[in-house]
């Protein structure tokens, strides 16, 4: 047994010779019984009658593009209760660990879930009789410099000439989808198009999987770009959650997309975040229609069907009487609607700001055809490059942030009260904005993934 007096800090560098992991920072966690290491893409193998697993370890929490291929014999499969109280079945392996000058065999469970702050936890069983924890200290037994880490893992960064990126959509011939594939290839990545309707998944704690109709298993992707049309939101978001759970980075999460698809919910989030929206009302019963109209300031007002897109479900009611009939007609059809003050001074124009990672990378003004009150290029309106003001830029960035979207198309209407948020689109189209601004917006989206995965072009 080692010297029981060895003091260790809150986290310590560990290395595993047999797993080819020269350095991984472990959180010392006396609250956990067993030690664990993050592992993804776990594959079972039978070798001479024994069960082995092959898996990838990403030693850095903030850089999942660095992956070490590991292989180990399974000594047990255990039910482990995670910090959230959920019981997971995990593989247990036994392997030599070096921590400072101390070496011993450690039992490790393979945690195949993402989201662990530390890639490794050093639990009670490994600590007992060997170490005393001083939570005031950090990396007591060994400090590793950035340069040393680069020396350790440099070959793994260089080995990758590009990322493996999947585009999750329904129609590969759409302008936006073609451009995303093109931009990814131009930046040196391997791009795959996946029709999300052809993806299917298996949920379990050991080997969650996503398969494609052509027979391939989609567990090898570094990132997916969701381009989910509104009618596919439910299935598309379920798939995205599965990708997230196997450690694939999603450019826009399922949670953010779900929020953005519900106009009322997102408006509530905006007002909670003190982001200005047009005064909006909603009511269930026709008995409340009259008061609802006066609540939002009376006619003229705009009635919006919640589950619509591209301005199709937006109606202008010029008088209180017209408003009442339209609202009650929609209600009789069981449609969920919003009632909103009409921003007359916008004169049928609005702004689309394309936000990528807290930056407006392009903006355009859309204008209605004469006689229309709505800016809608699909109905023959026009889109032109726009110069936006500082407060509009701030509003766009904060709106994307409120929904936690890395990529967002933020629609803003200019009113006498200042800019107001109309809606935030989580799969904004590229054709209009690229044509109006002449910018390579698709490439900005790919660059966002590179930043997130810390991929550097060599
Ligand atoms: P959709 O999601 O269906 O595109 P929007 O809420 O973006 O619906 O509205 C479509 C268009 O209608 C906007 O681009 C804008 O020009 C116009 N519009 C929407 N709300 C208002 C409003 N409150 N006042 C004036 N015009 C509006």
């Amino acid at each position: 047994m080692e010297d029981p007096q060895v003091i260790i800090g809150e986290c310590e560098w560990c290395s595993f010779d047999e797993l080819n992991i020269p350095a991984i920072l472990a959180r010392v966690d006396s609250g956990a019984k067993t030690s664990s290491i993050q592992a993804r893409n776990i594959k079972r193998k039978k070798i001479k009658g024994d069960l082995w697993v092959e898996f990838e370890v990403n030693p850095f929490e903030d850089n999942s593009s660095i992956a070490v291929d590991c292989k180990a014999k399974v000594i047990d499969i255990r039910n482990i209760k995670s910090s959230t109280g959920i019981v997971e079945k995990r593989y247990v392996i036994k392997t030599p660990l070096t921590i400072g000058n101390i070496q011993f065999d450690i039992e490790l469970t393979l945690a195949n879930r993402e989201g662990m702050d530390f890639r490794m936890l050093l639990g009670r069983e490994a600590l007992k009789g060997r170490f005393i924890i001083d939570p005031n200290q950090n990396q007591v037994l060994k400090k590793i410099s950035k340069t040393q880490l680069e020396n350790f893992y440099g070959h793994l960064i260089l080995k990758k000439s590009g990322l493996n990126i999947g585009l999750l959509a329904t129609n590969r011939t759409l302008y936006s989808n073609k451009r995303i594939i093109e931009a990814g290839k131009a930046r040196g990545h391997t791009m795959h198009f996946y029709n999300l309707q052809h993806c299917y998944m298996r949920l379990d704690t050991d080997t969650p999987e996503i398969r494609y109709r052509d027979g391939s298993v989609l567990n090898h992707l570094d990132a997916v770009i969701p381009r989910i049309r509104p009618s596919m939101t439910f299935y598309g978001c379920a798939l995205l959650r599965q990708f997230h759970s196997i450690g694939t980075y999603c450019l826009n999460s399922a949670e953010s997309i779900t929020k953005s698809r519900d106009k009322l919910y997102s408006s509530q989030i905006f007002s909670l975040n003190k982001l200005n929206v047009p005064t909006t009302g909603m009511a269930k019963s026709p008995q409340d229609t009259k008061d609802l109209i006066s609540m939002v300031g009376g006619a003229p007002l705009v009635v919006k069907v919640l589950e619509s897109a591209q301005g199709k479900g937006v109606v202008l009611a010029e008088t209180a009487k017209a408003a009442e009939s339209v609202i009650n007609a929609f209600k009789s059809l069981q449609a969920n609607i919003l009632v909103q003050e009409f921003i007359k001074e916008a004169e049928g124009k609005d702004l689309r700001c394309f936000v990528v990672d807290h930056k407006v990378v392009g903006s355009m003004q859309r204008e209605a055809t004469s006689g229309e009150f709505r800016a809608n290029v699909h109905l023959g309106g026009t889109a032109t490059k726009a110069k936006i003001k500082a407060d509009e830029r701030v509003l766009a960035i904060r709106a994307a942030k409120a929904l936690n979207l890395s990529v967002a198309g933020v629609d803003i209407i200019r009113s006498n009260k200042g800019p107001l948020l109309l809606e935030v689109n989580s799969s904004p189209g590229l054709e209009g904005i690229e044509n109006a601004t002449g910018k390579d917006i698709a490439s900005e989206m790919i660059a966002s993934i590179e930043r997130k995965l810390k991929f550097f072009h060599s």
Side-chain angles (χ1 to χ4, degrees):
M1 178 146 305
E2 331 307 323
D3 178 359
Q5 297 306 313
V6 177
I7 291 177
I8 54 170
E10 193 191 20
C11 43
E12 293 292 337
W13 286 101
C14 297
S15 71
F16 296 97
D17 284 353
E18 286 185 4
L19 299 178
N20 296 318
I21 298 174
I24 185 165
L25 193 61
R27 162 135 231 175
V28 175
D29 181 4
S30 60
K33 183 166 176 244
T34 324
S35 303
S36 63
I37 192 162
Q38 173 271 346
R40 67 175 207 177
N41 279 343
I42 304 175
K43 291 191 193 88
R44 300 158 67 105
K45 276 251 152 80
K46 269 261 163 6
I47 300 177
K48 291 189 191 142
D50 292 322
L51 178 61
W52 284 63
V53 275
E54 287 177 350
F55 52 97
E56 275 177 19
V57 171
N58 308 116
F60 303 106
E61 174 262 321
D62 59 351
N63 188 350
S64 59
S65 68
I66 298 179
V68 184
D69 295 322
C70 306
K71 195 169 156 183
K73 191 171 145 184
V74 175
I75 59 158
D76 197 5
I77 298 176
R78 265 178 228 158
N79 286 328
I80 304 282
K81 199 171 188 175
S82 73
S83 54
T84 53
I86 295 166
V87 176
E88 283 178 13
K89 252 198 173 62
R90 288 194 198 157
Y91 295 107
V92 185
I93 62 166
K94 195 170 187 174
T95 192
L97 159 76
T98 308
I99 173 166
N101 295 320
I102 302 164
Q103 270 201 340
F104 57 96
D105 281 355
I106 187 172
E107 282 191 6
L108 284 176
T109 70
L110 304 185
N112 60 3
R113 294 288 180 269
E114 279 297 294
M116 284 168 61
D117 278 347
F118 280 82
R119 308 274 93 180
M120 187 184 155
L121 293 181
L122 207 53
R124 274 198 309 280
E125 274 174 353
L127 299 168
K128 250 194 254 168
R130 295 192 175 97
F131 304 108
I132 292 172
I133 311 165
D134 178 354
N136 283 318
Q137 299 197 66
N138 207 330
Q139 302 169 47
V140 178
L141 298 185
K142 195 175 194 177
K143 289 215 170 18
I144 296 185
S145 70
K146 219 173 155 226
T147 325
Q148 278 173 302
L149 280 181
E150 276 165 14
N151 287 340
F152 286 151
Y153 290 107
H155 65 290
L156 290 174
I157 302 173
L158 293 179
K159 204 176 79 181
K160 277 203 163 176
S161 60
L163 299 168
N164 240 325
I165 302 176
L167 173 62
L168 209 57
T170 34
N171 183 350
R172 73 163 76 221
T173 64
L174 283 185
Y175 176 95
S176 300
N177 295 339
K178 284 198 296 203
R179 285 285 300 119
I180 290 169
I181 297 275
E182 203 175 280
K185 284 183 180 164
R187 295 182 75 97
H189 305 302
T190 307
M191 301 297 293
H192 313 263
F193 176 88
Y194 298 116
N195 183 332
L196 63 93
Q197 297 172 95
H198 298 180
C199 298
Y200 49 103
M201 53 196 144
R202 180 176 71 189
L203 294 87
D204 74 6
T205 46
D206 299 337
T207 46
E209 219 173 62
I210 305 172
R211 291 196 190 178
Y212 200 60
R213 195 175 286 175
D214 68 4
S216 45
V217 177
L218 307 186
N219 285 34
H220 61 286
L221 296 170
D222 296 302
V224 287
I225 303 176
R227 301 287 301 181
I228 302 167
R229 54 175 60 175
S231 60
M232 290 288 163
T233 305
F234 181 80
Y235 193 66
C237 286
L239 260 177
L240 271 190
R241 280 190 293 272
Q242 183 84 351
F243 272 114
H244 175 75
S245 78
I246 60 169
T248 304
Y249 171 65
C250 305
L251 186 68
N252 284 353
S253 69
E255 196 191 348
S256 303
I257 294 172
T258 309
K259 283 180 189 160
S260 77
R261 291 283 153 93
D262 182 335
K263 275 190 203 200
L264 182 67
Y265 187 15
S266 42
S267 293
Q268 286 170 326
I269 294 172
F270 299 144
S271 26
L272 210 66
N273 283 277
K274 303 272 176 280
L275 304 176
N276 291 333
V277 294
T279 306
T280 305
M282 193 192 194
K284 185 81 197 149
S285 160
Q287 284 178 19
D288 304 314
T289 301
K290 270 204 170 77
D291 194 38
L292 185 69
I293 293 172
S294 71
M295 246 170 83
V296 302
L301 49 78
V302 176
V303 181
K304 296 184 179 183
V305 182
L306 273 183
E307 293 83 12
S308 86
Q310 298 180 337
K312 283 176 208 138
V314 183
V315 181
L316 172 64
E318 312 237 22
T319 62
K321 227 179 159 56
E324 211 179 318
S325 335
V326 172
I327 294 168
N328 289 343
F330 275 129
K331 281 189 179 157
S332 70
L333 295 169
Q334 309 298 330
N336 283 315
I337 50 163
L338 293 183
V339 180
Q340 203 165 70
E341 66 172 313
F342 173 52
I343 311 298
K344 188 167 193 288
E345 60 274 22
E347 296 173 331
K349 296 177 196 143
D350 71 2
L351 290 172
R352 159 59 63 93
C353 301
F354 206 106
V355 180
V356 178
D357 291 343
H358 316 303
K359 217 178 126 198
V360 177
V361 294
S363 49
M364 63 175 172
Q365 177 172 272
R366 296 178 299 190
E367 193 168 343
T369 31
S370 56
E372 276 282 343
F373 79 95
R374 309 171 285 179
N376 195 331
V377 279
H378 301 279
L379 301 176
T382 52
T384 45
K385 185 176 169 178
K387 219 175 148 40
I388 55 166
K389 298 185 198 125
D391 55 350
E392 292 161 350
R393 185 179 305 277
V394 170
L395 183 62
I397 293 167
R398 289 186 57 205
K401 206 169 163 199
L403 296 185
N404 207 7
L405 289 165
S406 304
V407 174
V410 181
D411 293 343
I412 291 174
I413 193 160
R414 286 172 164 157
S415 81
N416 293 336
K417 300 182 271 187
L420 302 176
L421 258 181
L422 277 184
E423 73 167 328
V424 176
N425 194 315
S426 52
S427 285
L430 293 176
E431 189 167 12
I433 194 91
E434 288 198 337
N435 286 337
T437 61
K439 288 188 177 160
D440 188 347
I441 306 280
S443 188
E444 298 280 355
M445 292 171 63
I446 305 291
S448 161
I449 296 176
E450 291 169 6
R451 280 193 295 274
K452 182 69 199 157
L453 297 182
K454 299 245 172 12
F455 175 85
F456 302 109
H457 292 275
S458 45

